[in-house]
Amino acid sequence: MRNTCGSWLVAALSGLFILTASGYAQTKTITLAELDLSRMTSGWGKPAANRSIVGNKLSLGGRTFERGIGTHAESEWSVQLDGKADEFSALVGVDDEVKPGQPGSVEFLAYVDAREAWRSGVMKAGQAPKEVKV
């Protein structure tokens, strides 16, 4: 995530990986909050599983999410999948605790094998979340 205006913004991700274990026909869904967040960077505070960065429930576009990650822009997170993931999907946006009209913006980017696979475009407080599917 990139904070393009350098002001207070809270970003939230609610998503999952669909993993296929090598040699098995079944799939397993892993939520982002289940993954190790210790390698995730955040411009302020500490990324939080299933909560906003300040400890509130995650909320995007008026909808509350039980699972996801709350972080502050500018954040970065790399997940080593070793070719075992079939799909990544998520809803991303600026958490509702940031009120419309507050300055700042954020942009979400997803990379696969060091290549950009998805970009949200600039998002601001009050906007509806965007769906990521890679």
Side-chain angles (χ1 to χ4, degrees):
M1 286 164 279
R2 293 184 183 163
N3 179 351
T4 59
C5 288
S7 60
W8 170 258
L9 275 182
V10 179
L13 303 126
S14 180
L16 48 88
F17 285 105
I18 306 293
L19 303 175
T20 302
S22 184
Y24 296 95
Q26 65 188 44
T27 61
K28 180 179 180 183
T29 300
I30 306 242
T31 66
L32 296 179
E34 292 177 71
L35 299 174
D36 180 9
L37 299 181
S38 67
R39 294 180 46 192
M40 185 177 199
T41 64
S42 180
W44 177 88
K46 183 177 175 182
N50 304 321
R51 291 280 177 203
S52 76
I53 198 160
V54 295
N56 298 320
K57 288 187 175 185
L58 295 170
S59 179
L60 299 173
R63 183 174 160 201
T64 301
F65 294 87
E66 295 297 320
R67 297 183 310 215
I69 299 170
T71 189
H72 192 279
E74 174 169 327
S75 294
E76 186 172 312
W77 189 25
S78 296
V79 179
Q80 184 69 33
L81 299 171
D82 297 323
K84 295 178 183 154
D86 294 324
E87 180 180 289
F88 167 73
S89 61
L91 288 175
V92 299
V94 177
D95 196 281
D96 291 340
E97 63 191 25
V98 179
K99 301 302 175 208
Q102 287 182 309
S105 60
V106 66
E107 184 169 36
F108 295 86
L109 298 112
Y111 287 83
V112 177
D113 297 329
R115 281 192 254 170
E116 185 180 306
W118 185 86
R119 178 182 291 251
S120 67
V122 175
M123 297 183 74
K124 295 184 178 190
Q127 287 185 308
K130 291 188 179 181
E131 183 177 19
V132 181
K133 204 164 243 202
V134 177

